[in-house]
Amino acid sequence: MTKTILITGASSGIGRATAKLFAEKGWNVAATMRSPEEESELRERSNLKLYRLDVTKKEHLQNIISQVEDDFASIDVLFNNAGYGAVGAFEKSTEEEVLQQFRVNVFGVMELTREFIPYFKNKGEGMIINTSSVVGRFTIPLYSLYCSSKWALEGFTEALQYELRQFNIRVKMIEPAAIKTDFHGRSLMVFENDSVKGYEKMEKNILSGMRKRNEKASGPEVVAETVWKAANDGSQKLRYPTGKGAGAVLFARKILPTSWFNKMVLKQQNR
């Protein structure tokens, strides 16, 4: 029987590349996005269908499983990929900006996962894959909100795997390094507050450096291949680092004293 994956945030970047790859490999793909009416290319694939889904709207989350079942009978894998980065000096952020970062990157994942757990339990099997980040295991300046949202996702996912293993539901995480997507374009929200001073040099160095790193990074296809591996390797493996330098930086974070690793981060900041 043909398997089906539901992907959130499929309009661009990692979600879009993953939708195309799984469709090419013969899976049914439920590609969800906030504005499916604006999508044209993905509509050309017979085994890929578009659905409207805003992960911050409960009514969307509650109805998506039945909508996909009407087209594809069942769902085998949930890929929680929707997300964005809210960056800048934390002092510049507003309460609403903080809440929105967590609504999308954390609470949306949690709420959609809550809908899928009983569904997969009734099926007797299933898989949940969450898009985290290498900065879910270390931090960089100006990314306090984004990093903390991914740290929260790491903790949630790691704990959830223990709870759901007894139901034959596997839980996994994809941890991309810098990937050449529009993350530093439309998916990046930079705090604007001219009344807060003192961060100008840091913002110039860090944000311009991250944009340059993003331009030289691997494309989203490398992450899509990692999602394919996670969905099909038959293992209980939890974490899948992906992209240039992902494994190396996480290994360095693991073996180096924290003070040494922090010096590496500060060196990058002061370039």
Side-chain angles (χ1 to χ4, degrees):
M1 184 176 178
T2 303
K3 289 187 175 182
T4 299
I5 183 172
L6 185 148
I7 302 171
T8 68
S11 62
S12 64
I14 292 169
R16 186 184 190 85
T18 303
K20 292 168 71 173
L21 177 66
F22 274 71
E24 288 166 1
K25 289 183 175 289
W27 279 46
N28 294 325
V29 177
T32 76
M33 56 194 71
R34 287 177 297 174
S35 304
E37 69 279 0
E38 297 177 5
E39 176 57 49
S40 57
E41 180 191 5
L42 295 180
R43 292 183 185 277
E44 299 174 1
R45 302 171 185 269
S46 60
N47 59 334
L48 188 157
K49 295 187 181 300
L50 306 182
Y51 302 86
R52 185 181 309 279
L53 178 65
D54 182 333
V55 298
T56 67
K57 295 184 178 179
K58 183 157 284 191
E59 64 273 18
H60 287 197
L61 303 177
Q62 292 172 335
N63 295 325
I64 191 63
I65 293 177
S66 60
Q67 291 179 45
V68 176
E69 280 192 309
D70 287 344
D71 292 321
F72 293 131
S74 68
I75 305 168
D76 301 280
V77 177
L78 165 64
F79 180 31
N80 282 309
N81 170 72
Y84 76 101
V87 305
F90 177 74
E91 186 183 359
K92 291 186 174 184
S93 67
T94 65
E95 180 181 4
E96 178 56 31
E97 287 168 340
V98 173
L99 289 173
Q100 186 63 12
Q101 178 74 111
F102 276 77
R103 285 188 192 111
V104 176
N105 288 11
V106 182
F107 304 145
V109 172
M110 289 180 171
E111 291 303 319
L112 187 54
T113 298
R114 195 200 307 276
E115 296 292 328
F116 266 86
I117 291 173
Y119 174 77
F120 284 151
K121 285 172 68 177
N122 288 335
K123 279 191 64 177
E125 63 179 349
M127 184 182 296
I128 299 165
I129 304 176
N130 295 332
T131 297
S132 180
S133 169
V134 291
V135 296
R137 289 203 266 166
F138 66 90
T139 62
I140 52 179
L142 302 184
Y143 285 68
S144 59
L145 282 192
Y146 182 72
C147 289
S148 59
S149 74
K150 294 303 184 181
W151 279 55
L153 191 62
E154 289 266 338
F156 170 68
T157 308
E158 183 171 317
L160 195 66
Q161 64 156 342
Y162 298 123
E163 298 176 20
L164 300 186
R165 186 174 297 195
Q166 63 183 313
F167 304 116
N168 198 28
I169 302 172
R170 284 176 287 169
V171 182
K172 306 193 173 199
M173 268 185 291
I174 308 299
E175 298 175 318
I179 299 295
K180 191 173 183 179
T181 66
D182 65 353
F183 182 85
H184 283 88
R186 71 173 188 170
S187 295
L188 193 73
M189 195 278 290
V190 180
F191 305 135
E192 306 254 352
N193 188 337
D194 293 337
S195 66
V196 177
K197 305 296 183 183
Y199 300 99
E200 293 79 13
K201 181 179 178 181
M202 178 183 287
E203 288 175 337
K204 180 180 179 181
N205 289 345
I206 297 294
L207 295 180
S208 63
M210 292 299 291
R211 289 190 178 96
K212 290 177 182 177
R213 190 173 289 111
N214 183 72
E215 291 170 1
K216 297 177 181 178
S218 305
E221 294 77 16
V222 71
V223 185
E225 291 285 355
T226 304
V227 179
W228 174 260
K229 178 181 178 181
N232 291 280
D233 65 8
S235 76
Q236 293 287 350
K237 182 178 178 180
L238 174 63
R239 290 182 167 91
Y240 293 76
T242 183
K244 291 180 181 177
V249 71
L250 291 177
F251 182 69
R253 183 68 181 94
K254 181 178 180 180
I255 66 169
L256 291 179
T258 299
S259 60
W260 291 16
F261 191 86
N262 288 348
K263 288 179 180 178
M264 289 173 54
V265 174
L266 289 171
K267 185 178 180 180
Q268 292 294 319
Q269 170 186 325
N270 296 321
R271 279 187 171 182

